[in-house]
Amino acid sequence: MWPSPLLLFLSHLLEFPLKYTSRKTVPSTTCEGVSFTFKKMSEGRRAKLNNSLAEPKAKLRDILAEIQVLNPEKEGDEAPVLSPADSAKVATLNDQFNLLLDSEINPAWVKWGLESVTGLELDDYPAGQPINADALIEDGPPELFMEILKAIRNEAEVTPEKALPLSSGSTSGSSTGGTTTDTTAQPV
């Protein structure tokens, strides 16, 4: 007996693998004629990124905890009055926070995600050659660095818009509003 035409059609479709593009090329909006290619998120790449960011994130949490102890948030309009020493310490911690972002966390994101920059010529780099992450970080235009950082993070991070919608509207599957009825099964 011969297979049905539908089965033949479906089996033919199954022979074509899914084509997934793991990279994305984007024209720059800050530097005319420049484009950059970055790698999309995958589970293996997520693990590598989290590993590279573990220590800087721990430092960041420590800084934030120190700021919270010195300058706790108060409810209402009343802002806490800090001593000059505490104000200076909070300012120093804020500087450390910003330095950590600029020197470790943001470069780690770009090194993790950027594959190349084309259409950009930098001093001491061969003309016409794509620029890599290290060269961009060291010698590239800051506005391009920030644009690339934002693009990589937007592509990689899960946002509410990218999250899979749940039909129930809650993570537990419980009702999120309206009336409910008891649906307990009777014992058999």
Side-chain angles (χ1 to χ4, degrees):
M1 182 183 290
W2 294 98
S4 73
L6 178 61
L7 275 176
L8 286 174
F9 175 73
L10 290 175
S11 68
H12 179 70
L13 286 179
L14 296 176
E15 293 177 22
F16 295 105
L18 171 67
K19 173 82 171 134
Y20 175 73
T21 304
S22 62
R23 289 161 176 70
K24 185 174 185 177
T25 300
V26 178
S28 173
T29 59
T30 60
C31 297
E32 189 174 333
V34 173
S35 63
F36 53 93
T37 301
F38 60 91
K39 301 166 196 159
K40 293 181 182 179
M41 181 62 78
S42 67
E43 287 309 307
R45 292 185 48 69
R46 183 182 317 278
K48 288 178 185 175
L49 176 65
N50 287 335
N51 189 44
S52 71
L53 290 174
E55 188 176 324
K57 283 176 147 182
K59 291 178 192 175
L60 201 66
R61 285 188 292 275
D62 290 344
I63 290 169
L64 290 172
E66 282 187 65
I67 291 172
Q68 185 65 32
V69 167
L70 291 169
N71 191 14
E73 293 182 17
K74 303 272 186 191
E75 289 191 30
D77 296 332
E78 194 178 317
V81 177
L82 299 177
S83 70
D86 285 346
S87 290
K89 180 68 174 166
V90 168
T92 299
L93 290 168
N94 280 322
D95 290 344
Q96 290 173 356
F97 178 93
N98 290 328
L99 180 63
L100 190 59
L101 281 176
D102 293 342
S103 66
E104 294 186 47
I105 294 175
N106 291 344
W109 272 95
V110 172
K111 286 179 182 180
W112 169 83
L114 182 65
E115 186 168 285
S116 65
V117 177
T118 56
L120 177 67
E121 290 187 18
L122 298 175
D123 297 337
D124 302 324
Y125 294 93
Q129 294 295 317
I131 302 296
N132 65 22
D134 290 325
L136 176 73
I137 292 166
E138 188 67 29
D139 297 317
E143 63 275 6
L144 181 61
F145 173 85
M146 293 307 293
E147 178 185 5
I148 291 170
L149 172 65
K150 183 179 177 183
I152 291 169
R153 289 189 72 144
N154 283 343
E155 183 70 30
E157 293 179 331
V158 177
T159 62
E161 297 80 32
K162 292 180 187 177
L164 295 175
L166 297 172
S167 60
S168 71
S170 80
T171 57
S172 67
S174 300
S175 175
T176 58
T179 59
T180 59
T181 58
D182 185 8
T183 56
T184 305
Q186 297 298 322
V188 180

